[in-house]
Structures are given as structure tokens and as C-alpha cells.
Amino acid sequence: MARPSFEIGAVRVRPGRRQSLSLPITRLVTGAEVDLPVRVVHGREDGPTVWIDAAIHGDEAVGVEVVRQVLADLDPRTLRGTLIAVPIVNVLGFMTGSRYLPDRRDLNRSFPGSARGSLAGRIAHLMMTEVVAKCSVGIDLHTGSDRRTNLPQIRTDLEDPETRRLAEAFAAPVMMHARLRDGSLRHAAREEGAKVLLYEAGEAWRMDSWAVDAGVRGVRRVLAALEMTEPVEEEPPTPSLESWRSGWVRARGTGMLHLEAELGQRVEKGERLGGLFDSFGKRVRLVHADRDGIVVGRTEAPLVSSGDAVVHLAEVTP
């Protein structure tokens, strides 16, 4: 018996086909429509339904490229199950390079949303009803924010066995047990029963190739782990380091920051990570690690003030 067509919005996608569609969001003052771009790859054979999304924050470009490359390699004639790809969730923010929506709302604090709520709430509601509600697994792609860059990492619920299995399959350098944030897509999707991996890598509004490559490989491995595709032909990946606790080292003075700590570097408590200097080059303060761990994030800001977060250290199991 042939697999049924996949319904989304006003579209029906036949098995063994891929189709792009637009879900209406709002109308601009010019009269132009603003739509949520979606591509569905509907396999001929049965399997799970998975979504992958990017640019919930409009200044996060890495995930958009990850989605493009993943889609380029998928053949609906051999895919088992269905993939829903939403490369740009915050369309209005992405067009202007802004993390937020025009009303300054953070879309990733607006889920599950409401059909009659704010613009953010309506986009969140559309994403939940047309995408998340149809899926059992989701991969949410992000980058660092506020002039920060992140080591490729998965943030998820490591206490859930199946979610942990998928995080291990992704094989990012680090997988971190992360608490749920109210209003986030991950929180709302978990309430609906979906398993969600949140990928963090690179810097906002930059196309960091290393962050893209790690994301593409990771998504491909997850699809293979779900038996939607054949295993990726590559050398076995290095297992992820596991972290249950992390924190930011903060500046203890104001000055020009010269960081010596690099992403992925292992450090020991008390180790020098960099220094702060005044405009004449006089050293004001040193920056030291407050714990043993691995550098999973760092600021790229040249000037920091007392209390600013400068290096993100994750404690990892041996």
C-alpha cells in the first residue's frame, strides 16, 4: 500500500517528492506578503517525521546554510519518513540582520504562541501547529549572540534515553545537559512530546564554515540514527564530551580584552585566559579560569566592562 501524502498548510506532498511552500505570516505596509518558507521532503517509505529549523533569531546565519546543505543531499525516493525544513523562522529579523522581531520581542521566548497574540506569538503558533505538531524529533539550529562565538555543541535533555542517543549520534565536540527555558521552542516542543536537540555553533551574522560543517555532519548522523537515511560513510566521529554544568567567567575590570583562550581548549582552575588593558596598553586585570573545563564560548568584543561575560567554561566528565 502506497504511503499517504503529507499535508501541511494547503499543500499535499506525495510520497517520493519534495516540495517548497510558504505559510502566510503577515502583510507589510506595502501590501507585500511575509511568509514562513518551508520545504518538505516526503519519503516513499514509512519512518519518523522530523523537523529542522534555523534563524529563530534573525541574526543567526549558520543554521540557514546547514539546512541548505542537508536538503541538497536528501533524495525523497530513498528517504524513510519525512523531513520538514524551515531555514528561516524569524523572516522579518533575518531581512534586517536583527536578532529580534520589529517589536523587539525574542521569538524564542514566545512559544507556544497564540493565533491572536502578538506578531511573535502568531509566528510561534504557526510553527507549532504546522511543523512541530507533526513531528517526533526536531533539531533547532543556533549561534552565539551578542558578539559571542560558540564551539559546536548540543544542548538538550541528557536524562532522556532517546534524546541522549540522538545527541551522541550528532557527535558535536560537547553535549550539554541544558535546562528548559520558558517560552523557548525546545520547551514548547517537549510539552508536545517531541525530542529536541539544540545545536549551538559559531557567531551571529557570520558564515563560520567550521560551524556549518559540524552542523551538516551532525544532522546527517541523526537522520541515519533514526534510520531515515543510510549511515554516513566516514571515519567514526570522536565521541562528544559530556557536561552537566557550565558557567561564564566574567571580567573583573573594564578595558580592552586580549583573550588567549581558544574554543575547544581545556583549561584548569586558576589558569590564565587573557588580560584587560587600558588604551595605552597598561594591563588592568588578568582573566583566570574559575573551574576546570573546556572553552565552549567566548566573547569577540574588543572592549568589556566589569561584570561582562568573557569565557564560557563547561565542566566535562573524563
Side-chain angles (χ1 to χ4, degrees):
M1 181 177 178
R3 193 174 184 220
S5 297
F6 186 82
E7 297 186 26
I8 181 169
V11 173
R12 293 170 61 91
V13 185
R14 296 171 57 187
R17 299 286 182 88
R18 67 172 68 220
Q19 186 162 338
S20 297
L21 62 137
S22 298
L23 300 175
I25 295 175
T26 189
R27 187 188 298 269
L28 298 177
V29 66
T30 61
E33 297 284 350
V34 178
D35 302 310
L36 187 70
V38 179
R39 177 168 288 185
V40 176
V41 185
H42 190 43
R44 284 179 175 173
E45 300 181 43
D46 288 337
T49 301
V50 174
W51 94 82
I52 177 173
D53 73 81
I56 279 184
H57 294 126
D59 59 354
E60 298 181 345
V62 163
V64 182
E65 178 63 12
V66 172
V67 172
R68 184 189 72 80
Q69 292 191 28
V70 168
L71 286 174
D73 282 348
L74 283 184
D75 186 345
R77 295 170 298 180
T78 58
L79 181 71
R80 293 179 288 273
T82 303
L83 180 73
I84 309 175
V86 187
I88 305 173
V89 182
N90 184 353
V91 178
L92 291 166
F94 194 80
M95 293 296 291
T96 59
S98 170
R99 179 176 177 85
Y100 305 110
L101 286 159
D103 61 0
R104 297 295 297 167
R105 290 179 186 267
D106 185 338
L107 181 54
N108 209 31
R109 297 295 179 269
S110 303
F111 285 88
S114 167
R116 295 186 178 183
S118 66
L119 176 59
R122 294 180 185 214
I123 297 173
H125 177 76
L126 181 65
M127 183 75 182
M128 290 297 299
T129 55
E130 291 291 350
V131 178
V132 175
K134 297 174 169 62
C135 299
S136 58
V137 174
I139 305 175
D140 185 20
L141 305 171
H142 289 265
T143 70
S145 64
D146 191 26
R147 293 174 294 179
R148 298 172 182 169
T149 186
N150 284 331
L151 181 75
Q153 61 198 255
I154 287 293
R155 300 180 184 179
T156 194
D157 179 8
L158 295 179
E159 293 180 326
D160 178 73
E162 177 62 6
T163 305
R164 182 188 180 93
R165 183 181 78 88
L166 297 178
E168 291 173 344
F170 196 108
V174 179
M175 59 180 188
M176 304 172 66
H177 181 71
R179 66 181 180 86
L180 293 169
R181 291 182 178 271
D182 289 344
S184 68
L185 171 60
R186 187 165 75 94
H187 187 193
R190 271 287 305 276
E191 292 294 305
E192 293 295 319
K195 313 294 185 183
V196 185
L197 303 181
L198 189 152
Y199 176 66
E200 283 274 2
E203 187 179 355
W205 215 232
R206 293 187 184 276
M207 196 65 79
D208 294 308
S209 59
W210 48 270
V212 172
D213 292 344
V216 171
R217 290 196 302 270
V219 173
R220 288 172 178 164
R221 293 185 193 116
V222 171
L223 296 180
L226 291 168
E227 300 184 347
M228 298 175 70
T229 61
E230 294 303 312
V232 180
E233 294 183 5
E234 62 177 7
E235 292 293 322
T238 302
S240 300
L241 295 172
E242 181 179 331
S243 175
W244 290 75
R245 185 179 177 186
S246 69
W248 282 89
V249 176
R250 297 186 177 274
R252 298 180 64 187
T254 298
M256 303 297 292
L257 177 66
H258 294 262
L259 273 183
E260 300 163 13
E262 299 292 340
L263 293 179
Q265 178 180 333
R266 281 186 180 256
V267 300
E268 296 180 354
K269 184 176 180 179
E271 184 175 338
R272 175 173 164 170
L273 304 177
L276 297 172
F277 298 82
D278 68 15
S279 57
F280 295 104
K282 179 183 177 181
R283 190 171 68 201
V284 178
R285 285 276 190 175
L286 289 175
V287 179
H288 293 100
D290 63 353
R291 69 191 72 202
D292 295 344
I294 185 171
V295 178
V296 294
R298 48 170 277 168
T299 184
E300 299 299 334
L303 173 64
V304 297
S305 298
S306 183
D308 285 354
V310 292
V311 179
H312 190 190
L313 297 179
E315 300 175 23
V316 294
T317 55

